[in-house]
Amino acid sequence: MTFEIPGPIDPPARLLMGPGPISAYPSVLEAMSAPLVGQYDPFMTNTMAETQALYRGVWATDNDATLLIDGTSRAGIEAVMVSLIRPGDRVLVPVFGRFGHLLAEIAERAMAEVHTIETEWGQVFAPSVIEEAIVRVRPTLLALVQGDTSTTMNQPLDEIGAICAKHGVLFSTDATASLGGNAFESDAWGLDAATAGLQKCLGGPSGSSPITLSDRAVEVVTSRKRVEAGIREPGDPSSPDFVRSNYFDLGMILDYWGPRRLNHHTEATSMLYAARECARVLLLEGREAVIERHRVAGAAMLAGVQALGLGVFGDLGHKMHNVVAVEIPDGVPGDAARAALLEDFGIEIGTSFGPLHGRVWRIGTMGFNAREDAVLTTLDALEQVLRRFGAAVPTVAGVEAAEDVYRRAA
């Protein structure tokens, strides 16, 4: 069998304007090329500690248990779910898009008794509806997505933590699609666990999942703690109710990131560097300034697509800053138009899932790409492609509407 060895990796130039992943900040890519060190080198452990401190700022929390899970954002979700859910626990998942279904799926695999409530895609839940379900179901854990890119909706969380505390329920949220581009206040909102990924508003690659855990969540994790054979020492706990995943056992992961530095896995060094730089860039610009930059970029993209005569899906009062669901005009082949944007202009926008597949494109303005030139370039290319496929769109209207938003913001 013969095999021709390929040349060095050489990706094409792309402007990633979909729902994620997005184009990373240049400094994040540079950080990933930094030399590797040993996992217990003082530089390494100090970098881990710096990264924890940086993400406390990103999450707006004082939680000591703030760290990274090596893996995509789903790895963070699964680590939280399998570590907080005991088999048979009741878990309530309000579903308003594809990723609510994902939370329910992972909870079910963690052997929970899963209860869901659903609302129409394009809408969010009123706090009273969630409280009514909590009273009825009496769950141990409420698992709720903040921003769901499948619908572009941003679920308000500010009242949910108090409701959970009132009824003795742990409160976990996934903010993969929203963190960094939309308001998030972990401590003020009463979160017990929150998870995210780097590949959206944080402006990095997929492959590392920042999480934060409240003291109440850490108590649950600690109560299930078992140190694995081979590194177990006299006096180490060995709960009969131990977490059934080894890789995602937060009890051991907390020991790895904590003062004990108990071996669990080998930290993904280049991804640690990337995650550190994502948080450093965000905090250097200023958390509120980054959220405002996303708000303006999202408002400009929204104004631009509307000026082109395109419909927008969902309740705009609860849309995330960083992604818009654009209704595909009648007669325009959605996949062919997306392919033309990619092939002729090097711009990627997203399709969608479930009931929205083939109905909308999802256009993101996230992280490094939440900037004026990226918005204007995308709108100009979209206008050309729409016209090519027979859509009657006004000349330059999208670009002019977006420019107007930026002028007003300035």
Side-chain angles (χ1 to χ4, degrees):
M1 180 178 178
T2 59
F3 174 65
E4 184 177 346
I5 304 298
I9 194 77
D10 186 23
R14 295 285 192 248
L15 178 60
L16 301 181
M17 298 296 287
I22 48 71
S23 309
Y25 289 108
S27 65
V28 171
L29 299 177
E30 183 178 356
M32 293 180 73
S33 68
L36 305 183
V37 297
Q39 67 170 324
Y40 295 116
D41 188 294
F43 176 84
M44 181 67 168
T45 54
N46 183 63
T47 299
M48 292 170 73
E50 288 177 345
T51 303
Q52 290 180 278
L54 288 165
Y55 276 95
R56 291 185 189 107
V58 173
W59 287 116
T61 185
D62 291 325
N63 289 340
D64 182 65
T66 301
L67 60 147
L68 305 176
I69 303 297
D70 287 341
T72 63
S73 49
R74 190 174 301 212
I77 298 170
E78 188 147 345
V80 164
M81 290 285 202
V82 300
S83 297
L84 292 184
I85 296 171
R86 293 179 170 91
D89 278 355
R90 292 181 182 177
V91 174
L92 175 63
V93 184
V95 177
F96 60 99
R98 180 211 166 174
F99 294 101
H101 287 297
L102 173 64
L103 298 188
E105 165 87 9
I106 294 174
E108 183 179 13
R109 289 173 182 262
M111 304 298 289
E113 179 187 315
V114 180
H115 297 256
T116 61
I117 55 174
E118 296 193 36
T119 191
E120 181 183 357
W121 284 33
Q123 304 296 318
V124 296
F125 290 94
S128 60
V129 173
I130 293 176
E131 183 166 24
E132 184 278 328
I134 286 174
V135 170
R136 173 169 46 81
V137 173
R138 293 178 290 113
T140 300
L141 174 72
L142 174 74
L144 180 60
V145 173
Q146 185 192 31
D148 195 314
T149 51
S150 68
T151 66
T152 76
M153 293 296 102
N154 189 12
Q155 169 66 48
L157 303 179
D158 54 323
E159 299 180 41
I160 308 300
I163 292 170
C164 288
K166 174 183 172 183
H167 297 286
V169 176
L170 288 168
F171 179 26
S172 176
T173 194
D174 179 62
T176 295
S178 47
L179 183 66
N182 304 265
F184 195 96
E185 301 290 335
S186 187
D187 287 357
W189 294 350
L191 269 298
D192 289 300
T195 61
L198 305 183
Q199 73 273 18
K200 299 185 189 282
C201 300
L202 294 179
S206 177
S208 182
S209 178
I211 73 167
T212 189
L213 303 171
S214 72
D215 290 343
R216 192 162 68 129
V218 171
E219 286 177 9
V220 175
V221 170
T222 302
S223 73
R224 305 185 68 196
K225 191 169 181 180
R226 186 179 86 162
V227 178
E228 65 189 46
I231 57 174
R232 190 181 304 148
E233 297 179 357
D236 278 341
S238 184
S239 170
D241 185 28
F242 61 90
V243 175
R244 273 1 192 218
S245 170
N246 178 288
Y247 188 75
F248 293 130
D249 183 344
L250 285 178
M252 290 197 290
I253 294 172
L254 286 169
D255 270 346
Y256 181 58
W257 281 80
R260 192 176 178 187
R261 298 291 175 192
L262 188 65
N263 181 261
H264 175 257
H265 63 284
T266 301
E267 177 59 21
T269 311
S270 297
M271 287 307 306
L272 171 69
Y273 296 166
R276 177 186 180 276
E277 184 64 9
C278 287
R280 193 187 75 86
V281 166
L282 185 147
L283 296 177
L284 195 62
E285 184 177 345
R287 209 166 64 100
E288 296 305 316
V290 174
I291 292 170
E292 175 63 8
R293 174 162 60 82
H294 280 80
R295 186 197 68 78
V296 173
M301 184 62 77
L302 174 63
V305 297
Q306 288 177 323
L308 289 172
L310 304 178
V312 175
F313 173 80
D315 175 6
L316 295 185
H318 289 104
K319 188 185 80 66
M320 283 187 287
H321 292 157
N322 50 295
V323 62
V324 59
V326 178
E327 294 174 354
I328 301 171
D330 290 341
V332 173
D335 289 343
R338 286 179 58 243
L341 267 175
L342 187 67
E343 292 166 9
D344 297 341
F345 296 92
I347 298 173
E348 179 180 279
I349 63 173
T351 182
S352 195
F353 308 108
L356 296 182
H357 182 69
R359 288 181 51 196
V360 303
W361 295 312
R362 294 176 299 153
I363 304 178
T365 47
M366 307 190 204
F368 181 57
N369 291 344
R371 63 183 200 272
E372 186 172 3
D373 65 303
V375 171
L376 300 184
T377 298
T378 302
L379 286 167
D380 182 54
L382 181 62
E383 177 191 329
Q384 307 310 314
V385 168
L386 286 169
R387 187 172 290 113
R388 182 187 309 175
F389 284 97
V393 291
T395 304
V396 197
V399 168
E400 288 180 344
E403 286 180 327
D404 187 55
V405 170
Y406 273 102
R407 279 194 298 269
R408 290 199 306 271

